[in-house]
Amino acid sequence: MTGQLIPDQAGAPAAESDVMVRAEQVHKSFGSLEVLKGVDLQVRAGEVCCLLGPSGSGKSTFLRCINHLEKINAGRIWVDGELIGYRQRGDKLYEMREKEVAAQRRAIGMVFQRFNLFPHKTALENVTEAPLLVRKEKRTEARDRAEALLERVGLSDKLHSYPSQLSGGQQQRVAIARALAMQPKLMLFDEPTSALDPELVGEVLDVMKDLARDGMTMIVVTHEIGFAREVGDSLVFMDGGVVVEQGSPREVIAAPKHDRTKAFLAKVL
C-alpha cells in the first residue's frame, strides 16, 4: 500500500482513554496470498492479550502490522489513540515517512522468536544502544537504566557477557530488557519462548509475568496455554486470517464455543 488508501470507514473511532490498541478490519496480503482477512481487535491499557492459533493463521503477521513492520492493505490500527503508519486527510489515508513511523515505534517494544542481539556487543551494550542512538540519552542515564533492567530480568551478573556466552533464555531476557529500555507503552511478544529449550522457557515467562503484574500492556503470540490461562486477561483464537473466538482465557480454554477452537485446543492441551 503506497501513497494513499481509501479506507472502509471514514473517521477515527470515538476516543476511549483506556484503549491501548484498536484494530479495525485489518487486511494484509503477500502477493496473491491473503494472510489477514479483516481482523478486529481491542486491547485495553494494562491488559495482557494472548493470541493463539495454528501456524499460518496470521498471528505473527498481525503483530508486525501493529508497529508497521508490515504495511496493511486495508483497515486501520491505532495505538494509544494514534493512527499507526498513516495520516488521515478527509476519507483517505496517506502513508507516513519512515522517520515518522520510526518515531511511533519508539513507544512499542517488540520481542521476537529469535533474539536478534548484536553479537559483538555485551548485554549492557545491547540494552543501551537504542536509548543512546535513538533517544539521545546521556550515557550515564542509559547505563543506569540498562543495569536496572538487566537486574530486573535476573542478569545483573551478566552485564559484560556477549550473546555467545549466554543461554537462549538469558539472551531472550536481554532482548526483553532491550525493548524495555525504550520505555514503551506497549509490548509485543512474537512466540518469545518457541526457540528455547524446554528447561529455559520458565525463566522468560517469569519475566513476562512480572511485567504483567506491573501493568504493562502486552500482546503475546504464544503456544504456552498455561501462561495464557494464568496471566492473560483476554485470549484471542485466530485461524485463516480472522479472529474466530475471543474471551477470558479460562472460559475459552475450558469451554470453547467454535469448532475450530475446540479442534486446536484438543491438539495442544
Side-chain angles (χ1 to χ4, degrees):
M1 181 168 59
T2 58
Q4 64 186 45
L5 165 72
I6 300 177
D8 299 323
Q9 298 175 341
E16 292 185 48
S17 59
D18 63 341
V19 174
M20 180 60 71
V21 178
R22 183 193 297 274
E24 292 186 356
Q25 284 298 296
V26 173
H27 290 255
K28 173 63 183 178
S29 296
F30 296 97
S32 61
L33 177 64
E34 190 178 15
V35 178
L36 300 178
K37 303 175 183 178
V39 174
D40 292 302
L41 185 69
Q42 182 173 297
V43 179
R44 297 189 178 278
E47 180 179 331
V48 178
C49 174
C50 295
L51 300 184
L52 295 183
S55 296
S57 60
K59 309 181 302 297
S60 294
T61 296
F62 175 65
L63 206 67
R64 292 171 63 86
C65 288
I66 293 174
N67 63 1
H68 208 61
L69 286 176
E70 296 291 353
K71 300 175 183 179
I72 62 177
N73 298 109
R76 292 186 186 81
I77 299 173
W78 291 265
V79 173
D80 200 19
E82 184 176 5
L83 187 63
I84 296 297
Y86 299 91
R87 182 175 291 103
Q88 183 156 342
R89 296 174 189 161
D91 64 347
K92 295 181 180 178
L93 298 182
Y94 295 83
E95 190 169 353
M96 288 180 173
R97 297 191 299 269
E98 182 57 34
K99 186 176 181 179
E100 296 172 301
V101 175
Q104 290 184 323
R105 288 197 190 113
R106 293 175 194 172
I108 306 172
M110 188 160 186
V111 178
F112 301 87
Q113 295 179 38
R114 298 291 172 179
F115 324 121
N116 295 339
L117 299 178
F118 295 113
H120 61 290
K121 293 183 179 293
T122 65
L124 185 64
E125 290 168 339
N126 267 280
V127 178
T128 58
E129 181 83 0
L132 289 172
L133 295 181
V134 179
R135 295 176 67 96
K136 307 299 183 184
E137 290 183 5
K138 294 179 180 179
R139 186 166 295 276
T140 53
E141 180 182 348
R143 183 185 176 93
D144 287 348
R145 184 182 302 109
E147 289 180 351
L149 287 169
L150 287 168
E151 180 178 5
R152 179 177 183 178
V153 300
L155 294 173
S156 57
D157 60 335
K158 301 293 185 182
L159 300 183
H160 305 295
S161 297
Y162 290 90
S164 62
Q165 299 171 314
L166 302 174
S167 70
Q170 290 170 334
Q171 290 185 61
Q172 192 63 294
R173 284 185 280 156
V174 173
I176 293 173
R178 178 180 59 183
L180 292 173
M182 292 294 284
Q183 304 178 68
K185 61 181 72 172
L186 168 68
M187 285 285 286
L188 308 176
F189 292 86
D190 187 6
E191 298 193 35
T193 61
S194 65
L196 301 178
D197 292 334
E199 66 269 21
L200 302 177
V201 169
E203 62 191 53
V204 174
L205 293 181
D206 284 344
V207 171
M208 295 170 65
K209 291 174 186 177
D210 182 59
L211 289 177
R213 283 191 291 268
D214 279 357
M216 174 63 74
T217 310
M218 300 160 59
I219 302 179
V220 185
V221 173
T222 183
H223 291 295
E224 300 290 340
I225 302 297
F227 175 85
R229 184 190 289 115
E230 178 185 353
V231 183
D233 297 299
S234 63
L235 187 150
V236 175
F237 176 71
M238 289 182 64
D239 193 17
V242 299
V243 172
V244 175
E245 186 168 347
Q246 57 186 309
S248 78
R250 291 181 182 274
E251 291 175 356
V252 174
I253 293 169
K257 296 181 174 66
H258 199 286
D259 287 343
R260 280 194 280 177
T261 317
K262 293 176 183 177
F264 175 78
L265 290 173
K267 294 178 181 178
V268 298
L269 290 176

